[in-house]
Amino acid sequence: MIHDLTTMTSPEAAAAVARLRTVVLPVGSIEQHGPHLPNGTDTFAAELVARAVADRLDAVYAPLVPYGVTPIHAGHPGTVSLRRNTFEALLTDVCSELIALGVRTVVLVNWHEGNIASMNAVATDLQDRHDVTFVAAQACYVAQRLYRDDGGELTHGGGIETLAVLAHDPALVRAERAGEPTRPAGADAMDRMRRSHEVYGFITDVSELADEGWYGNPHWATSERAEAFADVVADGVVELVEGVVAARKARTDPH
Ligand SMILES: [Zn+2]
């Protein structure tokens, strides 16, 4: 059962927060995903996984906004980016209100790499100022790890993202319109460079990675795989969320 903040009454929300103390928020983005996927791909993916995570954690589910920080896709129709300050102020306000309501653990389920720096800034700031534990779940990276052996790749508009949209609403996937994306010379190396955990550089325009703004193989996504998508990724996220919560609990309550 999903304890959805938007469908509960005020007394129900008060009771649910008092009992559960944990809230799960989806964090996504509205941006172009080529000719074959909707602009809301990241938001659909984040919401789908976040709802399944909230269900497993027996937590309250609260929406954020569909928008994220995505200047990398500027100029491509359908992209709507928030400025970092706007996004951070919005996330701060939403989380502060939930903390005031009695929430003690906030789990952010994100599906857009451009949001990560802002999410981390807000989470550390609020955790520092309140009696609250923040957990950041990069659901897109969890999916990347879980589907790697099966040939799934996390690329912009590629197999794993197509799978997420198939899971959300198959009518929104137009794989037949995808065509063959092309990539500029050195794009692979640029991708590894930006995603390194050690020393990395930055990409500010998606055309440095892909000529048409997307890449990968949408045809990897099948309806059979899509059926299990939310469960597979949510299970992977929850396992790690529980590890984070247990680590903090052991630190603050050693008995
Ligand atoms: Zn995406």
Side-chain angles (χ1 to χ4, degrees):
M1 176 192 170
I2 308 279
H3 308 278
D4 186 330
L5 185 68
T6 62
T7 56
M8 285 188 281
T9 62
S10 174
E12 285 169 350
V17 169
R19 186 168 66 84
L20 307 173
R21 297 286 182 191
T22 299
V23 68
V24 179
L25 292 158
V27 192
S29 177
I30 306 286
E31 63 195 35
Q32 69 83 21
H33 276 77
H36 58 298
L37 292 183
N39 299 312
T41 291
D42 292 14
T43 297
F44 297 144
E47 289 176 349
L48 202 57
V49 175
R51 291 184 77 87
V53 167
D55 188 32
R56 282 160 173 72
L57 293 176
D58 198 22
V60 172
Y61 173 87
L64 189 60
V65 291
Y67 300 104
V69 181
T70 186
I72 188 174
H73 294 290
H76 294 266
T79 301
V80 175
S81 185
L82 297 180
R83 286 167 288 162
R84 273 191 301 129
N85 287 347
T86 309
F87 178 81
E88 290 177 19
L90 187 127
L91 186 57
T92 298
D93 285 358
V94 170
C95 292
S96 298
E97 293 280 293
L98 293 167
I99 292 165
L101 192 62
V103 164
R104 287 295 165 264
T105 304
V106 179
V107 180
L108 303 174
V109 175
N110 180 47
W111 192 280
H112 174 62
E113 290 166 300
N115 294 333
I116 295 174
S118 290
M119 278 173 58
N120 291 349
V122 170
T124 49
D125 175 54
L126 288 179
Q127 184 173 300
D128 191 38
R129 292 194 283 120
H130 299 278
D131 177 22
V132 62
T133 294
F134 270 80
V135 185
Q138 307 304 343
C140 47
Y141 294 155
V142 173
Q144 180 181 38
R145 170 172 55 81
L146 294 176
Y147 287 115
R148 188 175 288 141
D149 289 349
D150 197 18
E153 291 178 322
L154 182 70
T155 65
H156 189 71
I160 291 177
E161 294 214 314
T162 304
L163 191 65
V165 181
L166 264 188
H168 168 72
D169 181 356
L172 297 180
V173 175
R174 290 93 162 184
E176 74 285 355
R177 297 187 195 166
E180 282 293 329
T182 59
R183 307 189 69 191
D188 258 337
M190 290 281 274
D191 221 358
R192 281 196 301 279
M193 173 274 295
R194 73 170 177 144
R195 281 176 168 168
S196 168
H197 293 296
E198 296 184 21
V199 177
Y200 50 89
F202 302 91
I203 288 179
T204 54
D205 184 336
V206 70
S207 67
E208 293 186 284
L209 292 174
D211 294 320
E212 285 89 28
W214 74 278
Y215 60 112
N217 176 21
H219 305 288
W220 174 83
T222 62
S223 47
E224 200 183 357
R225 285 192 179 105
E227 216 167 289
F229 171 81
D231 288 337
V232 166
V233 182
D235 283 345
V237 167
V238 165
E239 189 186 338
L240 298 179
V241 167
E242 284 172 344
V244 173
V245 171
R248 281 204 62 79
K249 202 169 156 46
R251 164 79 182 78
T252 54
D253 178 21
H255 309 292

